[in-house]
Amino acid sequence: PKMKEEHCLQAALLCLGVVCCSQALSTERLQRSRPSLHGHHEKGKEGQVLHRSKRGWVWNQFFVIEEYTGPDPVLVGRLHSDIDSGDGNIKYILSGEGAGIIFVIDDKSGNIHATKTLDREERAQYTLTAQAVDRNTNRPLEPPSEFIVKVQDINDNPPEFLHENYHANVPERSNVGTSVIQVTASDADDPTYGNSAKLVYSILEGQPYFSVEAQTGIIRTALPNMDREAKEEYHVVIQAKDMGGHMGGLSGTTKVTITLTDVNDNPPKFPQSVYQMSVSEAAVPGEEVGRVKAKDPDIGENGLVAYSIIDGDGMDMFEITTDYETQEGVVKLKKTLDYETKKSYSLKVEAANVHIDPKFISNGPFKDTVTVKIAVEDADEPPVFLKPSYIFEVQENAASGTVVGKVHAKDPDVANSAIRYSIDRHTDLERYFVINAEDGNIKTIKALDREEMAWHNISVFAVEVHKQHQEAKVPIAIKVVDVNDNAPKFAAAYEAFVCENARSNQQFITISADDKDDSANGPRFIFSLPPEIIHNPNFTLRDNRDNTASVLVRREGFSRQKQDLYLLPIVISDGGVPPLSSTNTLTIRVCGCDGSGSLLSCNAEAYVLNAGLSTGALIAILACIVILLVIVVLFVTLKRQKKEPLIVFEEEDVRENIITYDDEGGGEEDTEAFDIATLQNPDGINGFIPRKDIKPEYQYLPRPGLRPAPNSVDVDDFINTRIQEADNDPTAPPYDSIQIYGYEGRGSVAGSLSSLESATTDSDLDYDYLQNWGPRFKKLADLYGSKDTFDDDS
């Protein structure tokens, strides 16, 4: 509080001094510049009287201090005209910026006052116009004149920074004086007047780590070797003060947060010198054994660490990789372990930085080593075969019980349990082999045929006697060794053709052989003729010594009429031990050939046909037969397509021509769907409707009064009329109540559709065959057969 009172007192005294100086200066300037109200005359060189023009206005530049808070208006200045004699006849008028609102003038004395507090930062000057007029007539006594009122600045605005908070980064261990950031403040006061806008920067918080330049505001490091790992963030407060930093000046502050960025100035370090790990001998390669980690206080890429194995007896059995997410070294198994062979291993692991800063290489070396000891744990292992696979051989056709080979497995554990063997029957479905469960000897059960299956692939299990779940499996390939048990045969079903005009020693076919046995027991093949026909007069055989043989003609002149087919036995022997042979028969046909040796015909009956009919005659006979067959087929087809009645009736008998009328009405309420007039016979208009179902013996005369209207639509009346006519018609049979409701037209050749009149006609047709048509036609048979019965009775 005391400090604030001193500052207020100083400001008040300063303002008072400025006001007094301004008033004195204004008064002095007015008095200096005020001209004489009276002009004087001067005589020229030639005796002329010269009149000097005088300036009628007294004006100048006025000043008023800003932020004046006194009780009375501030006197800005006074205007006075030379023609003003003080009698009050002159009136002063003020116009322009702020006239009448901020600035007022005494119209008699010309004194100008400021009625409001002015702020230079809002407006630095005002332009006004003054004029002297006659008070009574308002006539301008002199031309108007402009003058300026300037607002004089005082230190009323503190400095302000562009940002309330600043953030900056600087690498750790930077040299002293390293630039961090520049902060800038501004002052709204007039920089051209006094020191109100002259700023000086200073640091209030952040020593002794940082400093700031007083004139520029640049913040720099002040201590060497600042360590990010010790302290990463610093808070600095910077002050900007006007008045050149002197007492009484106003100030503003800002906060700067400075963060030290990381550099690689720390090597990795293992927290311990030895790591103990263990792994089961049953572990598979690639399985994780354990992890090591070297700590590096640096961050980012400066803290990246890579691990490697540089020494130890387990370099071939283990490997290490780097987990860059956790910065750990992962020790993994590289090969399968055996507890019974080696129970422990030792590794020397190195951790080194990936990125090294040359500036801090003197802080190195940037790596560290640690010893890793790995103990191998015993595991209950399955049996192990002495070989990963076995290959055995056995001769084909060997007797049952022949030993093929022997497999052997042992328990690798210390207990060395007994082993039992068995064959995987999924690999020996035909059960060719059996194995001794105790010693692993494999034997045959049945004879093997190499030509059926040359290799047998089976699998054998080895299981510990006391631990059935521990088993091992080994593949076994058994080769069936070939023996010469298949004689050679023709490679194909040969059929040879020899011309009748063949020459002696002419070759007409080459044959080869095939042997199912292996090449050792197969070729080379030897071809020969049996001893009993070695002097065959017709054909001879030549062995080409390349597993083929050629058959040649021994004589000339073959005749199909005498013999058209020859069978030549050929003996083929293989090169096996012992050799096998077989006799194969070659079929040779005698054929007719042309002069060039091309086959024409191999049919022996061709010569027999020459004694009878020629070829042209045979073709003609066959053509005639084909034509006759075509005619018969066409005749049968036409007969089937021709429609003929099964029973021939008289022309008048049309009982079988049934016509169906499917026209139905719309019911009793439908009076418009069907015109009843279409149901009426045109002959009914005259009162007479001829009956079509019987032959009337006499004409029936219609009764008067029963004629219906031709276009009547009353169905009930129409039906009643027809019923009365039927009841009164003596020609109508009692059993025939069928009425005609459809008009077929005049002169129909079909005649009546009714078959009831057949009983009274003189038809000569015999209908006794209806008795044979079954029960469905019994009624018709009774009706049409009643005539004969009636005649017999009469």
Side-chain angles (χ1 to χ4, degrees), residues 113-408:
H113 291 82
T115 61
K116 292 184 178 181
T117 302
L118 302 179
D119 187 359
R120 190 201 66 83
E121 287 70 37
E122 292 183 2
R123 188 160 190 162
Q125 65 182 20
Y126 297 86
T127 302
L128 298 173
T129 302
Q131 190 173 19
V133 299
D134 187 273
R135 184 178 295 275
N136 296 321
T137 63
N138 286 331
R139 179 177 60 85
L141 300 178
E142 290 185 3
S145 181
E146 285 186 355
F147 65 95
I148 296 174
V149 178
K150 286 190 174 182
V151 181
Q152 192 173 14
D153 182 51
I154 65 172
N155 190 18
D156 60 340
N157 291 282
E160 293 183 358
F161 285 93
L162 299 180
H163 303 285
E164 185 178 355
N165 294 287
Y166 290 84
H167 294 274
N169 298 321
V170 64
E172 63 174 332
R173 299 188 180 277
S174 296
N175 297 326
V176 175
T178 301
S179 175
V180 180
I181 191 175
Q182 182 179 14
V183 294
T184 304
S186 60
D187 195 319
D189 292 327
D190 188 0
T192 63
Y193 180 77
N195 296 324
S196 299
K198 186 177 181 181
L199 304 181
V200 175
Y201 298 94
S202 62
I203 183 168
L204 300 182
E205 295 180 13
Q207 302 98 335
Y209 306 104
F210 299 96
S211 63
V212 63
E213 292 182 358
Q215 305 301 324
T216 62
I218 298 176
I219 301 175
R220 301 182 182 274
T221 57
L223 285 181
N225 298 325
M226 285 190 292
D227 192 2
R228 184 200 66 83
E229 289 73 29
K231 186 176 181 180
E232 183 176 5
E233 194 172 83
Y234 295 84
H235 297 282
V236 179
V237 178
I238 302 297
Q239 174 185 267
K241 190 174 183 181
D242 59 13
M243 299 299 292
H246 294 98
M247 184 178 295
L250 303 179
S251 64
T253 60
T254 186
K255 294 181 180 179
V256 182
T257 302
I258 302 175
T259 303
L260 297 182
T261 57
D262 185 60
V263 297
N264 190 10
D265 58 340
N266 296 283
K269 292 290 183 183
F270 283 104
Q272 58 195 67
S273 60
V274 178
Y275 283 86
Q276 299 287 344
M277 299 180 184
S278 61
V279 60
S280 173
E281 64 172 338
V284 297
E287 186 173 333
E288 181 178 329
V289 178
R291 295 190 173 214
V292 297
K293 184 175 183 180
K295 295 183 178 180
D296 191 332
D298 295 324
I299 59 175
E301 66 176 13
N302 297 318
L304 294 180
V305 178
Y307 298 88
S308 60
I309 299 176
I310 60 175
D311 197 6
D313 57 0
M315 293 183 64
D316 296 334
M317 306 301 295
F318 300 92
E319 61 182 355
I320 189 168
T321 59
T322 303
D323 186 346
Y324 287 102
E325 292 185 0
T326 61
Q327 289 299 302
E328 294 177 322
V330 183
V331 180
K332 294 182 179 180
L333 184 62
K334 190 176 181 180
K335 296 181 179 180
T336 304
L337 300 174
D338 186 7
Y339 173 80
E340 289 72 25
T341 303
K342 189 173 180 62
K343 297 179 175 59
S344 64
Y345 295 89
S346 178
L347 302 174
K348 187 175 183 180
V349 176
E350 180 184 79
N353 277 134
V354 178
H355 303 282
I356 299 177
D357 193 340
K359 297 179 181 179
F360 306 99
I361 195 68
S362 59
N363 295 355
F366 286 86
K367 57 185 177 180
D368 193 17
T369 59
V370 70
T371 301
V372 179
K373 294 184 177 181
I374 303 174
V376 180
E377 298 177 347
D378 188 21
D380 188 9
E381 300 176 84
V384 177
F385 284 93
L386 298 184
K387 296 181 180 180
S389 62
Y390 291 86
I391 299 178
F392 299 131
E393 292 184 355
V394 61
Q395 284 191 347
E396 67 174 327
N397 301 326
S400 176
T402 302
V403 176
V404 177
K406 182 179 180 179
V407 297
H408 182 69

Side-chain angles (χ1 to χ4, degrees), residues 540-565:
T540 184
L541 184 69
R542 183 179 65 201
D543 192 340
N544 298 324
R545 299 184 180 275
D546 60 353
N547 297 322
T548 64
S550 300
V551 182
L552 296 86
V553 177
R554 175 168 285 184
R555 67 178 177 86
E556 296 180 356
F558 290 91
S559 176
R560 285 180 291 173
Q561 292 179 346
K562 293 181 179 180
Q563 186 175 351
D564 65 339
L565 183 67

Side-chain angles (χ1 to χ4, degrees), residues 742-764:
Y743 177 62
E744 297 178 300
R746 296 184 179 91
S748 174
V749 296
S752 174
L753 294 175
S754 175
S755 61
L756 299 178
E757 68 180 272
S758 303
T760 59
T761 60
D762 295 332
S763 176
D764 296 330

Side-chain angles (χ1 to χ4, degrees), residues 554-605:
R554 175 168 285 184
R555 67 178 177 86
E556 296 180 356
F558 290 91
S559 176
R560 285 180 291 173
Q561 292 179 346
K562 293 181 179 180
Q563 186 175 351
D564 65 339
L565 183 67
Y566 293 89
L567 300 177
L568 179 65
I570 299 175
V571 178
I572 307 175
S573 301
D574 59 20
V577 180
L580 294 180
S581 63
S582 66
T583 301
N584 300 264
T585 302
L586 176 63
T587 302
I588 304 174
R589 293 186 179 274
V590 180
C591 302
C593 303
D594 56 11
S596 62
S598 301
L599 295 178
L600 294 178
S601 174
C602 296
N603 192 354
E605 288 75 16

Side-chain angles (χ1 to χ4, degrees), residues 696-755:
E697 296 179 358
Y698 56 89
Q699 292 291 337
Y700 170 69
L701 297 176
R703 297 173 60 186
L706 297 178
R707 183 182 303 169
N711 295 324
S712 175
V713 294
D714 192 349
V715 179
D716 186 65
D717 294 341
F718 175 80
I719 293 175
N720 289 333
T721 301
R722 289 293 182 263
I723 291 174
Q724 291 179 9
E725 291 177 358
D727 292 340
N728 298 324
D729 187 0
T731 63
Y735 50 82
D736 189 359
S737 61
I738 299 176
Q739 304 299 318
I740 298 174
Y741 294 105
Y743 177 62
E744 297 178 300
R746 296 184 179 91
S748 174
V749 296
S752 174
L753 294 175
S754 175
S755 61

